[in-house]
Amino acid sequence: MALYKNNVSRSRSFLFTRQPAVMFPKNTVLSDISACGIFGIITFSCLSFWGEIGKRGGIFDQKLIRKLVHINIGLVFLLCWRPLFSSGIQGALFASIVPGLNILRMLLLGLGVYHDEGTIKSMSRHGDRRELLKGPLYYALSITLACIFFWKTSPISIAVICNLCAGDGMADIVGRRFGTERLPYNRNKSFAGSIGMVTAGFLASVGYMYYFASFGYIEVSVGMILRFAVISIASTLVESLPISTQIDDNLTISLTSAFVGILLF
């Protein structure tokens, strides 16, 4: 029995201390530079795909395209953290370069320094470039900061990105399709949209928890699952408030998820 306990202890120690495999183990800087390039190509491909869909029109409604981009980009980014980048602040900084450049891109597009019709249509509600200086800019900023400050060893980064991307994205999609019953304190929001948000944000958080735990970054527990549920509920409640018409959802959801996550974790 003692031998069994020792073996289990050693297995757990290995699980939560091992280093991830990187492309160039002897040169993590080169590895992270290469990872940054690969992720940049992945992100550009995703944005180009949705941009082309937005240009063609008629395939999907513009509002649906905007939300599919909203869901897709952040979750793909989170998915790439483990297999591409090294652990520690170096990996976090290199990983933040691509969403950081997207902040600059939103600023340039929103200010009219250059024009990209596909991107503007796929990321704005009404095709107005100035809209990129609000929601899309806050979106890129939130993901970048979550990457730098929390990175892949913290469940807070999972909570922030999953509630922002999956949660908020599904709130709009579900709300528009099934949202006939409006919230009594905010007629712009529906019960269906809020249920869609809390469900999608929570399930995505749990899914990524298992994903990161499989590589030894965090430890799965019932307590962590319950904390993710609390964060998703808190984010959904804030998103449903009338204040959402004054302050962009991308900002309030990210701040709420981060704040509650810091309190709980």
Side-chain angles (χ1 to χ4, degrees):
M1 180 63 72
L3 179 60
Y4 170 78
K5 288 182 178 179
N6 288 336
N7 287 337
V8 171
S9 178
R10 282 196 295 269
S11 296
R12 287 179 176 173
S13 175
F14 171 74
L15 177 61
F16 297 107
T17 59
R18 62 181 175 176
Q19 294 296 314
V22 293
M23 286 178 281
F24 304 101
K26 295 182 179 180
N27 191 333
T28 57
V29 173
L30 178 59
S31 183
D32 283 331
I33 291 173
S34 302
C36 190
I38 292 172
F39 177 62
I41 292 171
I42 293 172
T43 302
F44 179 77
S45 299
C46 290
L47 291 173
S48 296
F49 171 78
W50 292 116
E52 286 300 315
I53 296 295
K55 284 180 183 178
R56 296 176 188 279
I59 300 177
F60 290 117
D61 178 77
Q62 183 177 327
K63 293 177 181 178
L64 177 59
I65 293 174
R66 186 174 65 87
K67 283 303 174 181
L68 291 175
V69 172
H70 187 98
I71 295 170
N72 174 250
I73 299 301
L75 295 184
V76 168
F77 180 46
L78 196 59
L79 195 67
C80 289
W81 281 8
R82 186 275 151 194
L84 294 181
F85 297 95
S86 65
S87 298
I89 187 62
Q90 176 185 296
L93 291 175
F94 274 105
S96 69
I97 289 175
V98 174
L101 289 175
N102 204 38
I103 294 174
L104 179 61
R105 185 164 176 254
M106 293 302 103
L107 287 170
L108 295 176
L109 282 169
L111 293 172
V113 176
Y114 85 99
H115 185 78
D116 183 340
E117 181 184 356
T119 298
I120 292 173
K121 283 187 175 182
S122 65
M123 291 190 175
S124 63
R125 284 185 171 89
H126 308 292
D128 187 344
R129 61 174 173 78
R130 291 170 294 185
E131 293 179 48
L132 301 185
L133 298 176
K134 297 179 180 179
L137 179 62
Y138 298 145
Y139 177 91
L141 184 62
S142 297
I143 291 178
T144 302
L145 293 178
C147 176
I148 293 173
F149 288 104
F150 300 117
W151 198 214
K152 54 189 173 183
T153 56
S154 173
I156 300 174
S157 60
I158 295 175
V160 170
I161 295 177
C162 287
N163 283 293
L164 172 63
C165 300
D168 186 44
M170 288 305 298
D172 187 81
I173 293 173
V174 174
R176 289 182 185 279
R177 187 172 180 83
F178 304 106
T180 55
E181 191 70 26
R182 297 291 168 173
L183 297 176
Y185 55 88
N186 187 356
R187 306 305 294 177
N188 292 318
K189 303 290 182 178
S190 67
F191 283 102
S194 293
I195 293 171
M197 176 174 176
V198 72
T199 302
F202 171 67
L203 291 179
S205 297
V206 173
Y208 274 96
M209 174 193 69
Y210 279 103
Y211 175 69
F212 280 87
S214 69
F215 299 114
Y217 292 118
I218 57 177
E219 183 175 2
V220 172
S221 69
V222 174
M224 183 175 290
I225 293 174
L226 292 176
R227 289 181 179 92
F228 279 135
V230 171
I231 295 171
S232 293
I233 292 171
S235 299
T236 300
L237 287 174
V238 170
E239 190 270 347
S240 72
L241 295 174
I243 194 176
S244 63
T245 59
Q246 305 296 324
I247 305 175
D248 193 272
D249 289 347
N250 290 340
L251 191 59
T252 58
I253 291 170
S254 300
L255 290 175
T256 301
S257 298
F259 179 72
V260 177
I262 289 170
L263 291 179
L264 296 179
F265 291 110

